[in-house]
Amino acid sequence: MTILIVGDSCTDVFVYGEITRLSPEAPVPVFNPLRQKENDGMARNVANNVEALNVTIHTITNKNDIRKVRYVDDKSNQLVLRVDENDYCDRIDRKLLEGIRNNKCKPIFSGKTKVDAIIISDYCKGFLEEEDIQYICENNQNVFIDTKKELGDWINLADYIKINSLEYEKNKKFFEDNDIINKTIVTQGNKGCLFRGEIYPTENVPVKDISGAGDTFLAGLTVEYIRTNDIIKAINFAQECTEIVIQKHGVSTV
């Protein structure tokens, strides 16, 4: 099994430190850094989770380094501040995009690399425009999408769409006028997720960090669907994967 991941990526940086007092200059905490952890984020985090599930991956993503730096109180694991650096990337190369046809990636890899599914992880940083996503959906099968864009008709040919509850509320009017809701999975945190009017609950586990949990869900969903051709089994498996990573610090793989 081979899965292609397309989308914008970043480096997730977690700076853990101690907070013992407030600043005398302003009512803000004084942060004393103790240690730092870095890992792939966004589309590359999706790819790492897919690979952790013993699936071959190919990734098409940006080269410049978007960085999300989070300052976290080491004692409470409370996020104090997030600083985003270089928060934009160049658009996908046109030749690379045009090569993603019929679940093959012609100019990207040697020969004609066949993929079983395509994951679009769109964090709306500039790598993919609406027409780019539409092109991939029109020319391929088994396309799974997680996007931060406001939804429109350009997404109608996606096979499955994963969004969170806030994104669902933002796009509610679009769903009311479009039957795409029947292939949309709405994640709702500790409430589970909603699909075709039914709630699929999640286990109650101790949560340490939800950063990157949506990436893990998307990876697990796609992998299990390709293995079983059963979206309900895929949803349940995706939630099991997510339950694992939220019990870890930082952005983690399943």
Side-chain angles (χ1 to χ4, degrees):
M1 184 192 307
T2 302
I3 293 177
L4 172 67
I5 299 93
V6 186
D8 10 41
S9 296
C10 73
T11 300
D12 279 313
V13 182
F14 289 81
V15 182
Y16 295 94
E18 61 179 5
I19 298 172
T20 58
R21 61 192 176 95
L22 293 177
S23 168
E25 295 94 357
V28 295
V30 176
F31 187 87
N32 179 28
L34 298 175
R35 57 191 172 88
Q36 181 170 311
K37 175 185 176 184
E38 295 189 10
N39 52 261
D40 295 329
M42 302 195 307
R44 287 198 185 278
N45 184 43
V46 177
N48 290 343
N49 274 275
V50 172
E51 191 171 38
L53 293 169
N54 298 315
V55 174
T56 301
I57 62 167
H58 294 295
T59 306
I60 303 174
T61 188
N62 51 294
K63 295 180 180 179
N64 62 312
D65 191 15
I66 297 171
R67 290 170 63 86
K68 296 181 181 179
V69 185
R70 298 170 175 89
Y71 294 85
V72 183
D73 177 40
D74 197 36
K75 186 176 181 180
S76 66
N77 203 47
Q78 176 67 46
L79 178 64
V80 179
L81 175 68
R82 189 177 112 176
V83 179
D84 289 3
E85 303 172 359
N86 306 318
D87 199 33
Y88 183 79
C89 61
D90 294 332
R91 188 174 178 180
I92 186 173
D93 181 85
R94 189 68 193 176
K95 288 185 179 180
L96 290 180
L97 177 66
E98 291 175 352
I100 308 173
R101 292 179 59 92
N102 304 317
N103 288 77
K104 293 180 180 178
C105 309
K106 295 181 182 179
I108 306 167
F109 315 108
S110 58
K112 296 180 180 180
T113 300
K114 181 75 168 63
V115 298
D116 298 287
I118 297 174
I119 296 176
I120 296 176
S121 177
D122 172 40
Y123 275 80
C124 209
K125 303 298 183 183
F127 191 70
L128 293 170
E129 298 294 341
E130 294 173 355
E131 56 263 38
D132 302 332
I133 297 174
Q134 182 175 355
Y135 175 88
I136 295 173
C137 292
E138 288 175 345
N139 290 283
N140 295 277
Q141 296 178 327
N142 293 332
V143 180
F144 291 72
I145 298 180
D146 184 0
T147 179
K148 306 303 179 189
K149 290 181 173 60
E150 183 175 342
L151 301 184
D153 292 341
W154 50 272
I155 205 170
N156 283 346
L157 292 180
D159 290 273
Y160 288 102
I161 302 161
K162 175 262 167 196
I163 60 175
N164 61 39
S165 54
L166 291 176
E167 293 161 350
Y168 171 75
E169 290 299 324
K170 185 176 70 173
N171 291 281
K172 207 165 186 178
K173 183 65 169 61
F174 175 74
F175 287 118
E176 290 174 355
D177 299 335
N178 197 307
D179 63 1
I180 201 171
I181 189 63
N182 291 323
K183 50 185 178 181
T184 300
I185 299 152
V186 184
T187 57
Q188 300 179 320
N190 59 8
K191 297 178 181 178
C193 63
L194 174 68
F195 179 63
R196 294 182 180 174
E198 185 171 346
I199 294 289
Y200 294 86
T202 187
E203 293 290 331
N204 186 17
V205 298
V207 178
K208 291 185 178 178
D209 203 322
I210 62 170
S211 301
D215 298 336
T216 301
F217 183 96
L218 182 62
L221 180 78
T222 307
V223 168
E224 189 66 7
Y225 181 79
I226 298 305
R227 284 176 178 165
T228 66
N229 198 34
D230 187 323
I231 192 61
I232 305 305
K233 287 183 179 178
I235 288 172
N236 290 330
F237 180 74
Q239 299 211 118
E240 291 173 9
C241 294
T242 307
E243 289 161 12
I244 293 172
V245 299
I246 64 176
Q247 296 181 68
K248 303 179 182 181
H249 289 290
V251 174
S252 305
T253 55
V254 61

